[in-house]
Amino acid sequence: MEANFCRFALESLKQKILFTRLEKIYNPYPKLWTFKFSKQGFLCLYASQKGGFFFLRPNNLDNPSSPSPKVMFLRKHCKNRIVKSFSFFWPRRIFWLGFGDLFLELSLESEPKIVEKPILEEVIWPSLEEIDSNKEIFRIYPQISPPLRKFLASLSKERKKNFYLKLQVEKSFDFYIYENNILLWEQGSNVISKTDNPLEALSIFGEYKLKEIIGERFSKLKQQNREEKRLKKILLKLEEDKKKLKKRIELLEYGKLLQANLYNLDRNKKVSKVNVIDFTGNTITIFLDCKKTILENMENFFKQAAKGERGLKAIEKRKQQIQKQLQDVRIKQKQEIKIKQKAFFVPKKYQGLQIKAFISSDGFLILRGKNSKANHKLLSVASPFDLWFHAQDGPGAHVILRRDSKKQEVPLQSLKEAACLAALASYQKNAEKGKVMCAEVKNVRKVKGLSLGQVIVDKILHSFWIDIDPNLETKLRYLETKE
């Protein structure tokens, strides 16, 4: 997220969450944090040096069954506390939520942490001459980001001067949303959207990037599962309310007994309990509110019972509505389950290739060529830090596991699944075990004179000896691609 846009985004975020209550903290995925604020929904923060971003969303994500020690530590110090101050230093894309005695530091580059006080600096703007002469100027002045420097270099001298001045003093801009950034200027034709509302820009960009991080476009089935869970919770809550209301209705009997025995009691006396004769002739004790008279207690019993009756009718009506909604959701779930192939997101650069695309158990996109030509092209469009898999010592398909950066770690389960997909499309497909090599794409070379699909591997990263699961392709989520 570009630093200059971050200035407007943080100012808008401040207006939203200042003086709200931070109710809970979650860490659903590596580097991805969510913070629940009263009345404002969830703040999603993805902390990554190259691709950090944040945005507000109405719903939370699926979370692990048990929170990590880091999450428990943050909850201990910040849970259910009012945000009394909100400060930020936008050039470095960092902000602090103040709770009075401590601050929660949130950065787009590192994970959240507790600090004693924020470190605020004065924003200093370099001269245009300095910007032109120093390619690494963003290291000293982080607001002069590489995209900004590139844009300024494309302008005439007068337009550059005017825009640079406007950038320092202007309060409003249009925001251009791209696949990997939000800018205050138009740069290229592949704009996803344009808006003058920073929170709207954050939402569009954040939801788009979130789907990449999780590794899939949220399916209707997943949404319906969440809706089913929500409706079940409502039904449980209604049952609890129903029990409470029934207890209120039971107070009617106490009211009637007091009414029947009122002639024998001092109605204006305030006591904590009275002994009365019930309708079977037995003596029973009724506990009262000692702040009220016996007469007022009797009236209150009738009043509470009447409320219980009205509430019970409303709950029954609401329960029928929820049960109908739940029935509809379950019908839709069954329909979705029957659809074997769903059109999830596959990046444009892979569309048109003869490949098969899968989502690993951990949400990584895995691509496999269907023929030699596809293998050749797949290697051409893959990023240098993507992982390449191929059956060792024999022919087979090329398999690519996409990564967001060189530093992104891939869980062993996903590595094994990619290796197994490579083995299933090789000479080892009928074997129980297979040997598969893994390398970074940058270390796999296509050499002139070799047949299509044939390569030279300069450096092998891993060599896997795996169990070959013949049913893995049906177990993993399959993505449709346009060939």
Side-chain angles (χ1 to χ4, degrees):
M1 185 181 290
E2 207 273 337
N4 290 280
F5 168 75
C6 207
R7 172 173 41 142
F8 297 90
L10 288 171
E11 193 62 53
S12 296
L13 183 65
K14 178 180 178 179
Q15 296 172 21
K16 282 285 185 182
I17 66 175
L18 185 61
F19 303 124
T20 62
R21 185 183 300 277
L22 175 54
E23 295 181 348
K24 212 156 187 183
I25 301 171
Y26 306 89
N27 183 203
Y29 294 90
K31 301 182 183 179
L32 184 63
W33 296 79
T34 58
F35 306 84
K36 184 182 180 183
F37 290 93
S38 57
K39 300 180 182 179
Q40 297 301 335
F42 296 84
L43 171 66
C44 289
L45 172 72
Y46 184 63
S48 172
Q49 288 186 345
K50 290 189 177 181
F53 62 91
F54 65 88
F55 71 106
L56 288 170
R57 72 192 315 259
N59 304 314
N60 199 6
L61 302 170
D62 294 334
N63 289 285
S65 55
S66 57
S68 67
K70 175 71 175 181
V71 172
M72 293 298 292
F73 173 81
L74 293 177
R75 286 182 182 177
K76 178 183 177 181
H77 292 281
C78 305
K79 183 182 175 183
N80 285 328
R81 301 193 67 177
I82 300 293
V83 180
K84 296 180 179 179
S85 67
F86 185 107
S87 50
F88 56 85
F89 183 61
W90 61 266
R92 296 202 182 278
R93 306 180 305 163
I94 185 169
F95 55 106
W96 295 268
L97 306 182
F99 302 108
D101 57 339
L102 56 85
F103 292 82
L104 175 62
E105 181 179 293
L106 301 176
S107 168
L108 269 66
E109 298 185 1
S110 57
E111 67 177 16
K113 61 182 178 181
I114 302 293
V115 296
E116 291 183 357
K117 61 180 182 179
I119 303 172
L120 299 172
E121 304 173 40
E122 182 183 357
V123 179
I124 301 172
W125 295 87
S127 66
L128 285 169
E129 289 74 22
E130 287 179 89
I131 295 173
D132 292 337
S133 61
N134 185 0
K135 291 182 179 180
E136 302 289 315
I137 196 165
F138 66 90
R139 300 190 186 281
I140 306 167
Y141 305 98
Q143 72 270 33
I144 312 300
S145 60
L148 174 59
R149 188 174 181 276
K150 181 180 178 181
F151 177 70
L152 290 173
S154 69
L155 302 177
S156 63
K157 188 174 181 180
E158 190 63 25
R159 287 184 64 198
K160 181 192 296 187
K161 181 180 177 182
N162 291 337
F163 182 85
Y164 191 52
L165 180 62
K166 178 184 177 183
L167 195 62
Q168 297 174 49
V169 300
E170 191 65 56
K171 297 292 184 183
S172 62
F173 276 83
D174 285 330
F175 307 112
Y176 298 86
I177 305 158
Y178 295 84
E179 281 190 5
N180 295 309
N181 221 335
I182 307 177
L183 305 176
L184 277 63
W185 56 89
E186 191 169 4
Q187 191 164 303
S189 59
N190 56 336
V191 182
I192 294 174
S193 187
K194 174 187 172 184
T195 179
D196 59 356
N197 184 330
L199 290 179
E200 183 183 356
L202 282 172
S203 181
I204 295 170
F205 180 79
E207 292 290 354
Y208 183 87
K209 297 301 290 183
L210 186 63
K211 289 161 187 175
E212 284 189 356
I213 292 166
I214 297 174
E216 64 184 61
R217 295 285 177 180
F218 289 117
S219 68
K220 288 182 180 178
L221 182 59
K222 195 167 186 177
Q223 291 173 359
Q224 287 156 6
N225 289 340
R226 285 200 296 269
E227 181 65 5
E228 181 188 30
K229 190 177 179 180
R230 186 184 73 85
L231 293 172
K232 283 181 176 178
K233 282 185 177 180
I234 293 174
L235 285 175
L236 286 173
K237 182 69 169 59
L238 288 174
E239 284 299 321
E240 290 174 6
D241 291 344
K242 190 175 178 180
K243 289 178 182 177
K244 292 176 183 177
L245 290 172
K246 283 183 175 180
K247 286 184 178 179
R248 279 191 175 189
I249 293 171
E250 290 172 1
L251 296 176
L252 181 63
E253 278 304 306
Y254 292 149
K256 287 179 177 180
L257 286 173
L258 285 176
Q259 189 179 48
N261 288 269
L262 203 57
Y263 72 94
N264 201 30
L265 299 169
D266 183 353
R267 66 179 62 195
N268 295 318
K269 192 175 181 179
K270 294 180 179 180
V271 292
S272 60
K273 61 182 179 179
V274 292
N275 293 321
V276 297
I277 306 298
D278 67 10
F279 298 114
T280 61
N282 296 318
T283 301
I284 66 165
T285 300
I286 299 176
F287 292 93
L288 306 175
D289 182 351
C290 61
K291 293 179 182 180
K292 293 184 175 72
T293 65
I294 292 176
L295 181 62
E296 286 171 338
N297 272 284
M298 180 192 77
E299 292 171 344
N300 186 55
F301 286 149
F302 286 135
K303 185 179 178 181
Q304 292 299 321
K307 278 187 177 179
E309 290 285 358
R310 292 195 301 270
L312 207 57
K313 289 178 182 177
I315 279 183
E316 285 299 328
K317 185 178 179 181
R318 176 67 173 152
K319 186 178 177 181
Q320 289 175 10
Q321 292 172 345
I322 297 299
Q323 286 175 335
K324 176 66 169 61
Q325 290 179 31
L326 189 60
Q327 186 181 6
D328 292 342
V329 166
R330 285 171 174 165
I331 291 171
K332 289 178 181 177
Q333 281 176 324
K334 289 178 180 179
Q335 291 172 346
E336 288 296 322
I337 290 170
K338 290 178 182 178
I339 302 172
K340 293 182 179 179
Q341 295 182 346
K342 300 182 180 71
F344 292 97
F345 177 76
V346 175
K348 287 182 181 178
K349 65 179 181 179
Y350 298 105
Q351 298 289 351
L353 301 183
Q354 291 184 313
I355 58 172
K356 281 191 173 184
F358 303 89
I359 294 295
S360 77
S361 300
D362 304 295
F364 286 84
L365 179 61
I366 302 173
L367 308 156
R368 185 176 70 189
K370 291 183 178 180
N371 51 46
S372 299
K373 187 177 179 181
N375 289 335
H376 187 82
K377 288 185 177 180
L378 186 58
L379 204 56
S380 300
V381 296
S383 299
F385 45 75
D386 286 344
L387 298 181
W388 171 87
F389 295 80
H390 196 279
Q392 204 154 332
D393 305 324
H398 290 222
V399 172
I400 298 293
L401 185 148
R402 286 194 75 219
R403 293 197 295 175
D404 293 329
S405 67
K406 184 178 180 179
K407 294 181 179 180
Q408 185 178 22
E409 295 183 2
V410 181
L412 181 60
Q413 180 64 24
S414 290
L415 294 173
K416 287 183 175 180
E417 286 170 355
C420 186
L421 288 172
L424 286 169
S426 75
Y427 72 99
Q428 305 176 97
K429 63 182 179 181
N430 295 320
E432 291 185 1
K433 284 184 171 289
K435 197 170 185 182
V436 178
M437 55 182 165
C438 170
E440 289 185 312
V441 168
K442 66 179 182 181
N443 293 319
V444 182
R445 291 187 291 120
K446 294 179 288 185
V447 179
K448 190 175 181 179
L450 293 180
S451 302
L452 277 179
Q454 289 190 331
V455 296
I456 292 176
V457 184
D458 295 326
K459 182 181 178 181
I460 294 178
L461 198 62
H462 302 290
S463 186
F464 294 98
W465 178 245
I466 57 164
D467 294 322
I468 299 176
D469 180 1
N471 300 315
L472 180 64
E473 292 181 15
T474 57
K475 290 177 182 178
L476 295 182
R477 199 181 302 279
Y478 176 68
L479 308 188
E480 291 181 348
T481 58
K482 296 178 182 179
E483 296 183 5

